[in-house]
Amino acid sequence: MPGLIVVVALLVFLVVTLAKGVRIVPQGEEWIVERLGKYLVTLTPGLSVLIPYFDRVAYKVTTKDIILDVQEQEVITRDNAVILTNAIAFIKVTDPVRAVYGITNFQEAIRNLVMTTLRSIVGEMELDEALSSRDRIKARLRESISDEALDWGISIKTVEIQDIKPTESMQRAMELQAAAERERKAVVTRAEGSKQAAILEAEARLESSKRDANAQVALATSSAESIRRVADAIGEQSTPMMFILGEKYIHAMEKLAASDNAKMIVLPADLQEVVKRFVGMRG
């Protein structure tokens, strides 16, 4: 029995020794090996042999693209508006040694770097600019953190802004502001319409007055020309003038007789004498 225990112990020791000495690194990973607490070598994918009990795998680093979800945070813009924003970063470890020895936790470091840089960039913008400049924010964010990440052996593939929106209270305030702006535009539009209508009406009255004045001038000119021609035609003779006046007098009497209000018409016996007297009074 003591001999069997020794044999079993030796077998267990050999298995553990082989397990510690022979390592298979899977594809997409690189392992950091330390010998007696000091960095020794970086194991690439495949079979590797170590010295058991002296060498140990200290870190296992994935070399595939890593997705880092940056949590949502409140950011204050330059005009003191509060918005909510979050992002997602795609990174890749290019130097495993610097990634594990240059920073305690490179994933948490990149996440915090994205958060602080995003607050700084958005804080320099006003609310409307921040809400409409997602691509510009993304470009500035990637450019700002690339140099820092490179010192840690990390390559920033891209940074995407998942969401950028005002808080609920700010959304309500923006809705009220938008409603007030729409009402203001409606009032301005109605005022402009009334103004244009008043201007057009005044212009119409002015044009009508001008046309009436021109018509009166033309009528007066026409009447003056008519009188002048009649005067030239009559000359020193009074008979044609009395004839014309008598004719007009008769037409006036006819209209007066045809009127519904006329009850009785008195005509002078000597129409010619009346016309002569009328002409004499005018003279």
Side-chain angles (χ1 to χ4, degrees):
M1 291 298 295
L4 181 60
I5 293 174
V6 172
V7 171
V8 172
L10 289 175
L11 290 177
V12 171
F13 177 76
L14 289 175
V15 171
V16 172
T17 301
L18 289 175
K20 288 181 173 291
V22 180
R23 293 298 181 92
I24 299 176
V25 181
Q27 187 67 37
E29 292 185 4
E30 292 185 6
W31 293 359
I32 304 299
V33 177
E34 295 179 350
R35 176 171 292 177
L36 300 178
K38 183 180 179 180
Y39 169 74
L40 177 64
V41 69
T42 301
L43 301 182
T44 58
L47 180 64
S48 300
V49 179
L50 306 177
I51 299 177
Y53 306 109
F54 290 93
D55 299 340
R56 73 180 185 93
V57 177
Y59 301 98
K60 296 180 180 181
V61 181
T62 178
T63 56
K64 297 180 289 186
D65 288 348
I66 301 174
I67 303 174
L68 292 181
D69 188 12
V70 181
Q71 65 186 11
E72 187 177 71
Q73 61 177 333
E74 291 186 351
V75 180
I76 301 176
T77 61
R78 187 170 61 185
D79 52 351
N80 296 323
V82 181
I83 61 176
L84 299 175
T85 179
N86 61 347
I88 185 170
F90 296 86
I91 66 174
K92 183 180 178 64
V93 178
T94 56
D95 189 343
V97 177
R98 297 170 68 180
V100 297
Y101 292 113
I103 190 73
T104 303
N105 187 334
F106 68 88
Q107 294 189 12
E108 188 65 21
I110 295 296
R111 187 178 289 109
N112 286 308
L113 184 61
V114 171
M115 291 176 63
T116 55
T117 307
L118 184 59
R119 282 200 300 268
S120 176
I121 293 173
V122 175
E124 298 175 356
M125 300 180 175
E126 294 186 356
L127 176 61
D128 295 338
E129 183 183 4
L131 295 177
S132 59
S133 304
R134 180 172 300 193
D135 292 338
R136 186 153 62 92
I137 294 173
K138 180 180 69 175
R140 288 187 57 188
L141 183 60
R142 184 180 182 278
E143 181 181 357
S144 299
I145 67 176
S146 293
D147 294 338
E148 295 289 341
L150 191 61
D151 293 338
W152 301 330
I154 307 297
S155 174
I156 304 297
K157 307 290 286 186
T158 185
V159 180
E160 296 291 339
I161 305 298
Q162 286 184 304
D163 198 7
I164 180 168
K165 61 183 180 180
T167 59
E168 293 183 0
S169 60
M170 183 59 63
Q171 287 181 357
R172 290 193 295 268
M174 291 176 64
E175 290 175 358
L176 294 175
Q177 181 182 3
E181 182 65 19
R182 287 193 296 268
E183 182 64 23
R184 185 189 68 82
K185 289 182 178 180
V187 172
V188 170
T189 302
R190 288 194 295 267
E192 287 292 336
S194 300
K195 176 183 176 181
Q196 292 297 326
I199 292 174
L200 293 176
E201 184 178 356
E203 290 178 351
R205 291 196 302 268
L206 177 61
E207 184 66 22
S208 177
S209 300
K210 289 181 179 180
R211 291 179 179 271
D212 289 342
N214 292 334
Q216 291 176 5
V217 170
L219 182 60
T221 303
S222 176
S223 299
E225 181 65 21
S226 176
I227 293 172
R228 186 184 62 81
R229 292 189 178 185
V230 170
D232 292 342
I234 293 175
E236 298 297 332
Q237 300 178 5
S238 60
T239 302
M241 182 179 61
M242 288 189 292
F243 175 77
I244 294 173
L245 292 176
E247 185 180 10
K248 290 185 176 293
Y249 182 81
I250 293 172
H251 284 307
M253 292 295 109
E254 289 179 353
K255 291 182 179 180
L256 184 61
S259 176
D260 295 334
N261 296 328
K263 301 301 182 181
M264 181 176 63
I265 300 174
V266 179
L267 294 177
D270 191 353
L271 180 60
Q272 185 177 0
E273 186 65 23
V274 173
V275 173
K276 286 181 179 181
R277 291 181 180 177
F278 178 78
V279 174
M281 293 173 62
R282 296 293 293 178

